[in-house]
Amino acid sequence: MSSFKKNLYPALKEDIHQNNTDPSALISGTPRRCDNHWTSSWWEQFRVLLKRGLQERRHESFSGLRIFQVLSVSILSGLLWWHSDPSHVQDQVGLLFFFSIFWGFFPLFNAIFAFPLERPMLIKERSSGMYKLSSYYAARMVGDLPMELVLPTIFVTISYWMGGLNPSLVTFVLTLLIMLFNVLVSQGIGLALGAILMDVKQATSLASVTMLVFLLAGGYYIQQMPAFIAWLKYISFSHYCYKLLVGVQYSVNEVYECGQGLHCRVRDFPAIKCLELEDTMWGDVAALTVMLIGYRVVAYLALRMGQPH
């Protein structure tokens, strides 16, 4: 009430007074022009929405069930790949691919629910002119970062060292950064699908098909795809993530024991050679960056078109 009296009542009173003194504006039948007036700045809207979002979603993001899911899968995968032998290259690249697909599915299906569930509140608050859509969207994106990146960090830390991957600290940090990048891209796809369809059931069905295509085209299950459909791997973020994980895990001249007293180059291993790691990895980073930005722009435009101004 005090906010209404302070911010809205004076302008409303002046508006009524102008109508009473100039009745022609009402008689003419032409609507008066309304100036787009906001009672708070963009940064203030962003700050308040960010604080509210962190308070609301922290319990959901760090719920007991979600923590149990991540910890149980990380420990189980660590036990299955327990201190894998470096000469068992197929096993180790299998663990790396599992990293990319698990943290492709998990954030995507969580992000799908974001906008459809908040839509009634968003329409109501936007219709009353509480804040701009851009401040809401920016607060949502920034607020998701700490909550979406903590659990993947714990997962990778447990599985990486239990799985016996490259013990180099630099390699571990690079692997972790790639995984966090992968999580953000996956989340962007979920946000875009949820914002476009605004129906959880439809978005979930479409996401399942999309992720299945990305999974099959990721480069682990099929190494030699027919030329007419090989383009699918270039739109699969799992493919780029998998390439980066393998690329940082094995150096150019690294070898493994491929026979009795015989050593071979790791990058000549069939499952790795088909990834064409000789090419620079900055192209893969650039592709993921385009996806990271592009999917979020699509989500914002979908919200913009579906919201009252």
Side-chain angles (χ1 to χ4, degrees):
M1 291 175 62
S2 61
S3 178
F4 170 79
K5 290 178 181 178
K6 178 182 177 182
N7 298 321
L8 299 180
Y9 180 68
L12 180 62
K13 185 177 180 181
E14 183 182 355
D15 200 16
I16 295 174
H17 179 70
Q18 289 179 354
N19 287 340
N20 289 336
T21 56
D22 186 17
S24 61
L26 296 176
I27 299 174
S28 63
T30 58
R32 293 177 296 104
R33 176 180 172 272
C34 296
D35 294 329
N36 190 17
H37 175 69
W38 300 93
T39 58
S40 57
S41 66
W42 189 94
W43 285 107
E44 185 177 358
Q45 295 172 13
F46 171 79
R47 181 181 59 81
V48 173
L49 290 169
L50 177 61
K51 183 178 179 182
R52 183 181 75 172
L54 290 173
Q55 291 175 342
E56 285 181 348
R57 296 197 299 276
R58 65 182 178 183
H59 301 292
E60 176 188 352
S61 298
F62 299 119
S63 64
L65 178 60
R66 188 168 293 186
I67 293 174
F68 171 76
Q69 282 180 300
V70 172
L71 288 179
S72 59
V73 175
S74 63
I75 293 174
L76 179 60
S77 60
L79 292 174
L80 289 172
W81 275 276
W82 178 258
H83 289 180
S84 59
D85 193 320
S87 63
H88 299 163
V89 179
Q90 185 66 47
D91 290 346
Q92 291 198 340
V93 296
L95 177 59
L96 295 175
F97 189 70
F98 174 71
F99 281 0
S100 68
I101 61 171
F102 180 78
W103 287 107
F105 274 96
F106 199 72
L108 188 150
F109 283 94
N110 287 331
I112 281 176
F113 294 90
F115 296 131
L117 295 183
E118 290 187 2
R119 185 185 185 188
M121 178 195 71
L122 183 59
I123 291 177
K124 176 180 147 184
E125 293 179 347
R126 286 270 299 143
S127 298
S128 60
M130 284 188 175
Y131 47 76
K132 297 180 179 180
L133 182 63
S134 58
S135 60
Y136 162 80
Y137 190 75
R140 175 82 201 198
M141 295 302 100
V142 175
D144 281 345
L145 289 178
M147 292 182 285
E148 292 295 332
L149 301 182
V150 171
L151 291 180
T153 302
I154 297 174
F155 178 93
V156 173
T157 303
I158 294 174
S159 300
Y160 188 94
W161 297 110
M162 288 181 67
L165 296 174
N166 192 327
S168 169
L169 182 60
V170 175
T171 304
F172 166 73
V173 172
L174 290 175
T175 300
L176 178 59
L177 291 176
I178 293 168
M179 287 309 307
L180 297 181
F181 206 179
N182 180 67
V183 167
L184 294 178
V185 175
S186 173
Q187 183 196 34
I189 298 176
L191 293 173
L193 291 176
I196 292 171
L197 297 177
M198 278 299 179
D199 182 275
V200 173
K201 187 177 292 186
Q202 293 181 8
T204 303
S205 300
L206 182 57
S208 301
V209 177
T210 303
M211 277 306 301
L212 185 60
V213 172
F214 288 171
L215 172 66
L216 294 176
Y220 180 76
Y221 294 114
I222 307 174
Q223 299 173 12
Q224 302 297 332
M225 282 190 287
F228 67 88
I229 204 172
W231 57 269
L232 281 176
K233 66 181 180 182
Y234 297 113
I235 63 172
S236 168
F237 71 94
S238 299
H239 171 71
Y240 296 109
C241 176
Y242 177 49
K243 278 186 67 176
L244 288 171
L245 289 174
V246 175
V248 301
Q249 188 68 207
Y250 303 109
S251 61
V252 177
N253 298 317
E254 188 168 347
V255 296
Y256 71 101
E257 188 175 349
C258 55
Q260 189 67 30
L262 184 62
H263 292 82
C264 305
R265 252 176 109 243
V266 174
R267 294 202 174 189
D268 289 334
F269 189 79
I272 297 179
K273 190 174 183 179
C274 67
L275 295 176
E276 300 175 353
L277 295 179
E278 303 302 334
D279 300 337
T280 177
M281 290 191 293
W282 287 110
D284 303 321
V285 174
L288 287 177
T289 303
V290 170
M291 293 180 183
L292 173 68
I293 298 172
Y295 286 130
R296 278 167 166 72
V297 171
V298 169
Y300 177 76
L301 294 177
L303 282 179
R304 171 66 66 184
M305 290 186 291
Q307 291 294 317
H309 297 282

